[in-house]
Amino acid sequence: MKRLLLDRKMYVEFALAAVLFAANVLLALFMPYLTEHKRYYDSGAYIVMLSLAFALYTAGVHVTRKKSASDIAVVLFLFLMVWELAYKFGAVQNDLLVPSPEGLFHVFVEKPEEIWQDVLGSLQLLFWGFFLAILFGTFLGLLAGWIPRVREVLLPISNVITLIPPLMFSAYLIMVLATFREAAIAVIFFAVFWPTFQGMVARVSQIDKAVIEAARTMGVGTVGMLFKVILPYCLPGIIKSISKSLRGAFMCLTGAEMLGINLGIGYFIEKYKSFADYRCVLAGIVTVGVITTVIDIAVNKAERAMIRWEA
Amino acid sequence: MAASEKTGESRVKIEIRDVSFDYVDRKSTFAALEHINLEIREGEFLCVLGSSGCGKSTLLSLLNGLNRPKSGEILIDGKPVKGPGTDRAVVFQQYSLFPWLTVKGNILFAIRQSGRKYTRKERNEKAEDYLRGVELLAARDKYPGQLSGGMKQRVAVARALALESDVLLLDEPFAAIDPKLRLELQELVSSLCAKEKKTVVFITHDIDEAILLGDRIIVMEPGRIRTETDVDLPHPRKRDDLIGTEAYEKLHRKLIAGFYTQIQEDIDTEVSL
């Protein structure tokens, strides 16, 4: 296991992060509330979160060997420590707006089913809107990029439409489409479709002419040219654009969920905002951060695995 | 086999009949080829020699079907050329391999395009045979982006052969390759084409290359064919054996004379303008 060992200097930093982690756990377990009228929550969920973060950091620093991993861990644990101390010493005046870290993470123990359902609901919206947009955007972009007549019709239209923020359609889409769910999917679809379409048209028009001519001299026809030559040629560009458009889709997702749909993590946040339960609002925001990060990392990993050549 | 022996026996494979071609843009029309007539016999290795702008690449683009003649027609086996087709394989000067496919994938693509009914196993074996032929079997799983220029052109040659067409068209394939490697590639192409009995049209601006490879050499001047020369040297030719021999020097002198009077004329017209 020699290759898993860090050099000595990095172990000093690792030790510092470990000490801070231990201090956070001890504070959560044994530090009493020094002011009255503070709500008490079981610290179990918070400690599990701390341990998870530390485990991730330990694995990360040993795999990537980056000094920044230690820096990030130190900043995170320091931040949580300040938060904890401020809360328990009474520096935080408004218990309602700023909960304790224990309180925040306790939401995940209180409402696991609700959060899970909402996350799943969001992902479903995201998947359908995003998946359909990538599929149609790429296909139409492929046709428009290759066939000038199609391009000359669709490109000016898309240039006008992309200037209108997709959430602007929402008021109308709700009326036209049968359910809020469909309206939300449509909003995400339009947010992703036009950029995908335009990106694909640009990629097809930038394709190396020598490759096209070589294919033509080998007797490749129009359909073969589109799907056996141009599509694979553009694939790395398409994959790269996916992670970018995914971020755009996330932006629209929570907005789309505020259309009046009753499922999804955006709805979760909106609901607890109207209950003035900011502990849950914060928990919802943390959930969005975690989910988007996980998806982003997964997409980037997939991207690197799929791209075996560069133009 | 000497070229003169062939002329009597072989039938005509490619016939270029009174072909003209113009490049047209908004402002002007440029006559790239004017009333070209040429016959290429089956199994012949024809080199088309000329300086840049003389229309030699245009001629090749008409043969491969990417361009259509303004007037006249091109017949292959008596049938007019109506566009690109798998009866003619092309090697371009610029690297035109498919970058998303491996070296072997590129060869397999051509084998599939050839339209011949092979099983998966046969296709694999054929692809590896062609790669062995250009001494690149070891690089079969590499992507074109990982290869040097010389290796890329060797793959391009293997891909052209894999189309299994009778006619092979090469457009200055080794112009961008360093001289030492170029020599290797020239000898490789010469022996492969002889082995597979291809009818070859080879475009070049290099006199030595033309003498080394061709059964017949055509020198072009802008828009026209200037001279035709048969090369009566035995195959396989080795550059080192050729250079310094009387036959070689004679040919070289003849070709270079054609070349230089043409260039001199170009300069004269430019000066008078």
Side-chain angles (χ1 to χ4, degrees):
Chain A
M1 296 306 277
K2 200 179 169 190
R3 70 193 175 86
L4 273 179
L5 291 176
L6 304 172
D7 60 48
R8 188 168 290 172
K9 212 177 153 205
M10 287 184 77
Y11 268 118
V12 176
E13 288 158 354
F14 181 72
L16 179 62
V19 167
L20 283 171
F21 160 68
N24 269 309
V25 173
L26 291 175
L27 283 178
L29 278 175
F30 300 116
M31 182 167 177
Y33 288 77
L34 297 175
T35 46
E36 285 175 20
H37 313 300
K38 293 277 165 151
R39 243 177 281 168
Y40 167 79
Y41 291 99
D42 184 63
S43 56
Y46 177 50
I47 289 170
V48 168
M49 191 287 299
L50 280 173
S51 312
L52 217 65
F54 186 69
L56 268 177
Y57 155 66
T58 308
V61 78
H62 282 83
V63 173
T64 65
R65 284 156 195 275
K66 276 187 186 160
K67 287 200 180 102
S68 57
S70 298
D71 297 344
I72 292 167
V74 167
V75 169
L76 175 72
F77 289 130
L78 271 179
F79 169 74
L80 290 171
M81 189 184 275
V82 170
W83 181 7
E84 177 89 298
L85 289 173
Y87 188 84
K88 288 190 173 171
F89 275 111
V92 172
Q93 294 295 325
N94 194 331
D95 196 26
L96 191 71
L97 279 176
V98 185
S100 64
E102 286 99 330
L104 195 154
F105 288 100
H106 198 253
V107 174
F108 295 108
V109 180
E110 290 163 39
K111 309 178 169 70
E113 190 62 20
E114 192 182 341
I115 291 175
W116 177 244
Q117 288 303 328
D118 280 330
V119 166
L120 227 59
S122 284
L123 290 180
Q124 268 173 21
L125 290 184
L126 187 72
F127 175 78
W128 285 113
F130 188 73
F131 177 76
L132 292 175
I134 293 283
L135 201 71
F136 283 100
T138 303
F139 181 71
L140 271 178
L142 187 65
L143 285 182
W146 185 240
I147 304 167
R149 199 149 169 195
V150 178
R151 175 170 62 242
E152 279 154 27
V153 174
L154 288 179
L155 210 54
I157 296 174
S158 82
N159 283 337
V160 173
I161 294 180
T162 40
L163 293 177
I164 308 168
L167 274 173
M168 296 280 189
F169 294 124
S170 58
Y172 178 65
L173 285 171
I174 291 170
M175 307 313 289
V176 176
L177 294 169
T179 63
F180 286 123
R181 205 177 122 81
E182 283 167 16
I185 290 177
V187 169
I188 297 166
F189 178 86
F190 285 119
V192 178
F193 173 80
W194 292 108
T196 306
F197 170 77
Q198 290 191 326
M200 191 64 195
V201 170
R203 270 191 290 281
V204 174
S205 63
Q206 281 160 15
I207 201 164
D208 189 354
K209 231 182 113 205
V211 166
I212 299 291
E213 288 192 343
R216 284 183 64 198
T217 59
M218 284 194 278
V220 177
T222 304
V223 177
M225 192 65 85
L226 288 174
F227 295 102
K228 288 203 291 195
V229 178
I230 300 174
L231 192 61
Y233 189 96
C234 294
L235 205 58
I238 296 169
I239 294 169
K240 272 188 197 161
S241 76
I242 280 181
S243 61
K244 217 177 82 192
S245 22
L246 199 56
R247 281 176 203 184
F250 278 131
M251 294 285 175
C252 277
L253 178 64
T254 28
E257 282 172 350
M258 290 172 188
L259 292 176
I261 201 169
N262 59 1
L263 194 67
I265 202 72
Y267 163 74
F268 181 91
I269 294 170
E270 192 64 13
K271 180 174 73 184
Y272 285 102
K273 191 188 89 187
S274 39
F275 294 167
D277 190 343
Y278 298 110
R279 201 168 55 92
C280 289
V281 170
L282 282 175
I285 292 169
V286 169
T287 308
V288 172
V290 170
I291 300 281
T292 50
T293 308
V294 167
I295 293 178
D296 204 46
I297 291 171
V299 167
N300 280 324
K301 287 260 184 238
E303 186 183 307
R304 246 169 280 158
M306 281 173 79
I307 298 176
R308 285 163 298 174
W309 68 279
E310 292 278 355
Chain B
M1 196 195 304
S4 56
E5 287 173 38
K6 269 189 184 174
T7 48
E9 301 160 10
S10 307
R11 63 188 186 88
V12 172
K13 182 78 183 172
I14 305 173
E15 202 178 343
I16 300 172
R17 274 194 202 153
D18 196 32
V19 162
S20 300
F21 184 80
D22 294 345
Y23 283 108
V24 184
D25 65 15
R26 246 173 277 168
K27 283 184 226 150
S28 61
T29 303
F30 171 69
L33 294 173
E34 292 173 281
H35 307 290
I36 300 279
N37 282 289
L38 188 63
E39 285 183 351
I40 303 158
R41 285 174 294 276
E42 190 162 38
E44 187 179 16
F45 199 121
L46 178 81
C47 284
V48 179
L49 191 62
S51 50
S52 50
C54 70
K56 58 190 193 300
S57 287
T58 306
L59 182 65
L60 197 98
S61 78
L62 297 177
L63 284 168
N64 68 32
L66 290 175
N67 280 323
R68 301 283 190 82
K70 185 188 81 177
S71 62
E73 60 180 350
I74 295 173
L75 305 172
I76 291 179
D77 289 327
K79 278 171 265 164
V81 169
K82 289 193 177 128
T86 51
D87 55 340
R88 288 147 286 151
V90 187
V91 181
F92 294 96
Q93 179 186 347
Q94 73 278 42
Y95 313 123
S96 57
L97 297 176
F98 297 152
W100 66 92
L101 294 174
T102 59
V103 165
K104 191 173 165 189
N106 268 280
I107 311 295
L108 285 169
F109 189 101
I111 295 175
R112 279 195 207 96
Q113 280 307 122
S114 75
R116 282 160 217 263
K117 302 263 175 282
Y118 291 128
T119 62
R120 193 191 173 83
K121 196 171 158 242
E122 281 170 335
R123 279 202 299 268
N124 265 312
E125 280 167 6
K126 285 217 163 260
E128 298 200 349
D129 283 345
Y130 284 117
L131 285 175
R132 210 172 284 126
V134 295
E135 292 153 24
L136 270 181
L137 191 60
R140 64 186 155 215
D141 294 325
K142 289 215 160 83
Y143 287 89
Q146 299 168 294
L147 303 179
S148 69
M151 288 164 100
K152 278 186 205 165
Q153 268 328 49
R154 270 197 263 175
V155 180
V157 168
R159 184 176 70 171
L161 293 174
L163 213 52
E164 299 193 6
S165 58
D166 300 336
V167 178
L168 193 58
L169 308 168
L170 301 101
D171 187 3
E172 301 193 40
F174 310 137
I177 293 178
D178 75 76
K180 190 165 169 268
L181 257 176
R182 196 186 307 156
L183 197 62
E184 273 179 44
L185 287 167
Q186 285 161 351
E187 281 170 7
L188 183 73
V189 162
S190 177
S191 67
L192 284 173
C193 290
K195 200 173 88 188
E196 312 227 353
K197 301 193 175 55
K198 302 277 188 192
T199 306
V200 185
V201 178
F202 191 104
I203 308 282
T204 180
H205 59 245
D206 181 339
I207 296 176
D208 288 335
E209 187 168 70
I211 297 174
L212 187 70
L213 296 171
D215 295 324
R216 184 158 54 120
I217 299 170
I218 281 177
V219 178
M220 286 188 72
E221 61 185 14
R224 275 182 304 249
I225 293 171
R226 187 186 177 89
T227 59
E228 272 189 51
T229 311
D230 284 333
V231 184
D232 286 317
L233 296 168
H235 282 288
R237 298 171 193 157
K238 288 263 176 207
R239 190 188 155 97
D240 292 342
D241 301 341
L242 275 180
I243 288 181
T245 60
E246 198 184 327
Y248 171 85
E249 291 299 335
K250 221 172 118 187
L251 260 173
H252 198 273
R253 231 173 292 131
K254 189 176 166 192
L255 291 168
I256 216 162
F259 231 127
Y260 279 129
T261 44
Q262 179 212 323
I263 290 166
Q264 195 56 51
E265 281 165 17
D266 288 350
I267 294 167
D268 292 345
T269 41
E270 256 169 56
V271 168
S272 66
L273 285 172

